[in-house]
Amino acid sequence: MAKPKRQSLPTFPTINKCTSIGREKDTVVADMDGTLLRGRSSFPYFALVAFEVGGILRLIFLLLSSPLAGILYYFISESAGIRVLVFATFAGMKVSDIESVARAVLPKFYSADLHPETWRVFSSCGKRCVLTANPKIMVEAFLKDYLGADLVIGTEIDTYKGRATGLVRCPGIMVGQNKADALIKSFSSAPDIGLGDRKTDFPFMKLCKESYVVTSDPKVDPVSLDKLPKPIVFHDGRLVQKPTPFIALLIILWIPVGFLLACLRIAAGALLPMPLVYYAFWALGVRVYIKGSPPPQAQKSTGRTGVLFICSHRTLLDPIFLSTALGRPIPAVTYSLSRLSEIISPIKTVRLSRDRATDAAMIKKLLEEGDLVICPEGTTCREPFLLRFSALFAELTDELVPVAMANRMSMFHGTTARGWKGMDPFYFFMNPSPSYDVSFLDKLPYELTCKAGKSSHEVANCIQRMIASSLSYECTSFTRKDKYRALAGNDGIVVEKPNHAANKIMGC
């Protein structure tokens, strides 16, 4: 008797065989991990949510759960493994916090991992749908806002009174036949193109007119960011690198050591005389690179007003590193800072009131006493962009020295829009070997100042272009409000008790 034939799996051509010309009226349905993204594992993105919302303890719990998730995923069922990741990451979290991380943190990491062949096909189609096992709450903001997806179908997490329970809603994890059923429910006719990378994608791929498989190739370079429909100017979150299980383990092991090192570095900056801080930072692993020639210190006895240093704004520590580069403390003006930053700062700053006349009088008075530093962007920006410069400073003095600030961090970002800003200096100094570049540009020529007939906006734009050219950054018209509306859903204004006295506080 002949043996019954085993049912063979369907075979699909590879993605490089799919043409992307003339697809403007076509509909594409694509999987996410391993298809739209190069990486096949979603662990790093769950880890980002775990750390940004739940902190280090939640990241430890997720990492301890990952071996069980891996065993279930590869040897029992894909769905069971993902359920473990969902529970370990989301259980007890506020839904609003998850949505905030999905909007402000994850897009930066997702966009850095786009598969070029999949993006070539996906971006050429007129209607774009993503069908993914990932929780919809994690991926929808990125897919719709940055990739132009029209429809996102993903796993729905269960919630109770505004918090995630750690469970998933019916029909469960969106894999295998669940993907096929969701596609049938969402489309009245068969989509033109189906893209997937694994066997559990085949059920929905068979329902499409054309289907292509994306093969795993670690040598494939991601899509360059300039090819995305929308540039990522603003992003939040503390982690610099995508937290794979190994990177997550390193972060967990480093944080206790890094925090003690940060305390030591901050103490050195706050307690030592400023001429010694530069050398203390180098001895403690903080690199400060100085370029250009700063002007000599203004002497009050000469009757000359102080120089106004115009800095690009990378972190709240910009005025500290400017002072370190000059070897003397330079006062700074700022809008709002945490009480902790006030206590540990080695320089004097004055709070701005946001009243133009009051602030102008205050800055003029400070310049009569000596040099001053200001960050006219009004907020920090991590990416190679400069935000719009406020023009107020240009009306107050013609002694303007642009300063291009740049920094490098390997583990933690020293800025936040959603978290507690009091930890910003600690996170920066928790990096194993952070560095700052302080580049003094030429003093603005007299013919380009307001006294020569230029408007304050022309002067501000000129200095913005000078600094951008020095750093190879791009000038934008975005403002502080644009950043905080994008990342935190507010205008970035902190209501505080009135306090017009000068304080020793950090940042700008």
Side-chain angles (χ1 to χ4, degrees):
M1 186 173 67
K3 293 182 179 180
K5 293 183 178 180
R6 294 179 62 186
Q7 186 176 4
S8 61
L9 292 170
T11 57
F12 301 105
T14 56
I15 185 70
N16 61 305
K17 303 287 178 57
C18 180
T19 179
S20 56
I21 300 174
R23 296 285 193 178
E24 292 81 6
K25 296 183 180 180
D26 286 357
T27 298
V28 61
V29 180
D31 178 42
M32 193 164 181
D33 294 318
T35 302
L36 198 54
L37 303 180
R38 297 180 307 155
R40 292 171 59 88
S41 172
S42 58
F43 174 87
Y45 308 105
F46 282 102
L48 284 165
V49 177
F51 183 78
E52 298 298 341
V53 178
I56 187 65
L57 295 180
R58 181 60 70 115
L59 181 61
I60 292 173
F61 180 51
L62 176 63
L63 189 62
L64 292 175
S65 305
S66 60
L68 174 61
I71 292 171
L72 292 174
Y73 186 95
Y74 290 107
F75 299 104
I76 307 299
S77 99
E78 189 176 327
S79 174
I82 297 174
R83 284 178 183 271
V84 172
L85 294 179
V86 170
F87 180 83
T89 302
F90 294 131
M93 286 184 179
K94 289 184 179 180
V95 174
S96 59
D97 289 339
I98 302 171
E99 292 172 339
S100 178
V101 171
R103 180 182 65 250
V105 179
L106 297 185
K108 170 65 177 177
F109 293 91
Y110 281 136
S111 63
D113 198 36
L114 282 179
H115 196 291
E117 282 296 303
T118 308
W119 175 243
R120 173 182 62 84
V121 177
F122 188 82
S123 61
S124 68
C125 294
K127 186 174 182 181
R128 307 166 188 174
C129 172
V130 177
L131 192 55
T132 176
N134 285 302
K136 182 178 178 181
I137 193 173
M138 278 176 57
V139 301
E140 186 173 31
F142 166 69
L143 293 171
K144 288 189 173 182
D145 294 346
Y146 291 94
L147 301 191
D150 300 288
L151 179 65
V152 177
I153 304 172
T155 299
E156 297 283 356
I157 64 170
D158 186 55
T159 62
Y160 178 73
K161 292 186 177 181
R163 291 185 179 270
T165 64
L167 306 177
V168 297
R169 293 177 180 170
C170 186
I173 302 296
M174 199 63 63
V175 297
Q177 189 58 40
N178 284 345
K179 283 187 175 181
D181 294 341
L183 187 145
I184 293 171
K185 184 178 179 181
S186 301
F187 291 90
S188 57
S189 58
D192 298 284
I193 304 174
L195 305 176
D197 68 294
R198 63 195 79 190
K199 293 178 182 178
T200 51
D201 293 332
F202 291 174
F204 91 82
M205 293 170 67
K206 290 192 296 183
L207 301 176
C208 300
K209 296 176 184 178
E210 304 174 45
S211 293
Y212 300 89
V213 67
V214 181
T215 56
S216 178
D217 184 358
K219 295 181 180 180
V220 172
D221 293 326
V223 175
S224 59
L225 297 181
D226 60 342
K227 292 184 179 179
L228 294 180
K230 179 181 176 182
I232 296 181
V233 179
F234 304 120
H235 65 92
D236 205 21
R238 291 296 190 183
L239 299 183
V240 173
Q241 299 185 52
K242 185 169 70 173
T244 62
F246 178 68
I247 295 297
L249 178 61
L250 289 181
I251 291 170
I252 291 168
L253 295 176
W254 175 256
I255 280 181
V257 178
F259 183 75
L260 293 176
L261 183 59
C263 291
L264 183 60
R265 290 166 170 173
I266 290 173
L271 301 177
L272 291 176
M274 193 57 71
L276 300 180
V277 171
Y278 173 85
Y279 303 100
F281 276 170
W282 271 87
L284 294 172
V286 181
R287 303 295 179 239
V288 184
Y289 301 99
I290 306 170
K291 302 176 183 177
S293 300
Q297 181 177 3
Q299 299 295 329
K300 193 173 182 180
S301 58
T302 63
R304 184 172 64 89
T305 61
V307 169
L308 184 58
F309 293 99
I310 312 298
C311 290
S312 56
H313 206 4
R314 308 309 288 174
T315 74
L316 297 177
L317 298 169
D318 292 335
I320 306 298
F321 282 96
L322 175 70
S323 298
T324 301
L326 292 171
R328 51 189 171 88
I330 304 295
V333 290
T334 184
Y335 285 105
S336 60
L337 286 170
S338 71
R339 179 60 181 166
L340 180 60
S341 294
E342 293 184 81
I343 295 172
I344 63 178
S345 173
I347 67 170
K348 182 182 77 173
T349 70
V350 177
R351 294 177 182 269
L352 295 176
S353 64
R354 298 185 188 276
D355 178 80
R356 191 177 181 86
T358 302
D359 292 341
M362 185 182 299
I363 293 174
K364 281 185 176 180
K365 183 179 179 181
L366 290 169
L367 285 171
E368 290 174 359
E369 298 175 358
D371 298 337
L372 185 67
V373 58
I374 189 171
C375 302
E377 290 173 276
T379 188
T380 59
C381 182
R382 297 175 179 177
E383 294 301 299
F385 298 94
L386 290 185
L387 308 187
R388 190 181 72 191
F389 277 28
S390 170
L392 175 62
F393 70 89
E395 303 171 4
L396 307 178
T397 180
D398 298 317
E399 300 290 325
L400 303 172
V401 176
V403 184
M405 310 291 287
N407 53 28
R408 287 175 294 279
M409 296 149 288
S410 59
M411 192 171 284
F412 303 107
H413 286 294
T415 60
T416 182
R418 300 165 37 259
W420 182 36
K421 292 184 180 296
M423 290 300 295
D424 286 358
F426 289 90
Y427 272 107
F428 177 83
F429 284 117
M430 280 169 61
N431 286 283
S433 185
S435 68
Y436 242 94
D437 293 343
V438 183
S439 300
F440 294 95
L441 307 184
D442 293 336
K443 180 182 172 183
L444 192 70
Y446 173 80
E447 59 269 19
L448 297 179
T449 65
C450 288
K451 280 189 178 179
K454 299 291 183 180
S455 70
S456 60
H457 292 286
E458 288 176 321
V459 175
N461 292 338
C462 176
I463 293 181
Q464 184 195 38
R465 289 192 297 269
M466 290 172 63
I467 295 177
S469 176
S470 171
L471 296 170
S472 297
Y473 285 5
E474 181 180 337
C475 294
T476 75
S477 59
F478 292 120
T479 65
R480 175 189 177 91
K481 286 186 178 181
D482 294 321
K483 171 186 170 178
Y484 278 88
R485 285 171 181 169
L487 300 182
N490 58 57
D491 288 344
I493 297 175
V494 179
V495 179
E496 300 185 1
K497 295 179 180 179
N499 180 11
H500 302 295
N503 293 289
K504 292 189 69 178
I505 54 181
M506 179 178 295
C508 180

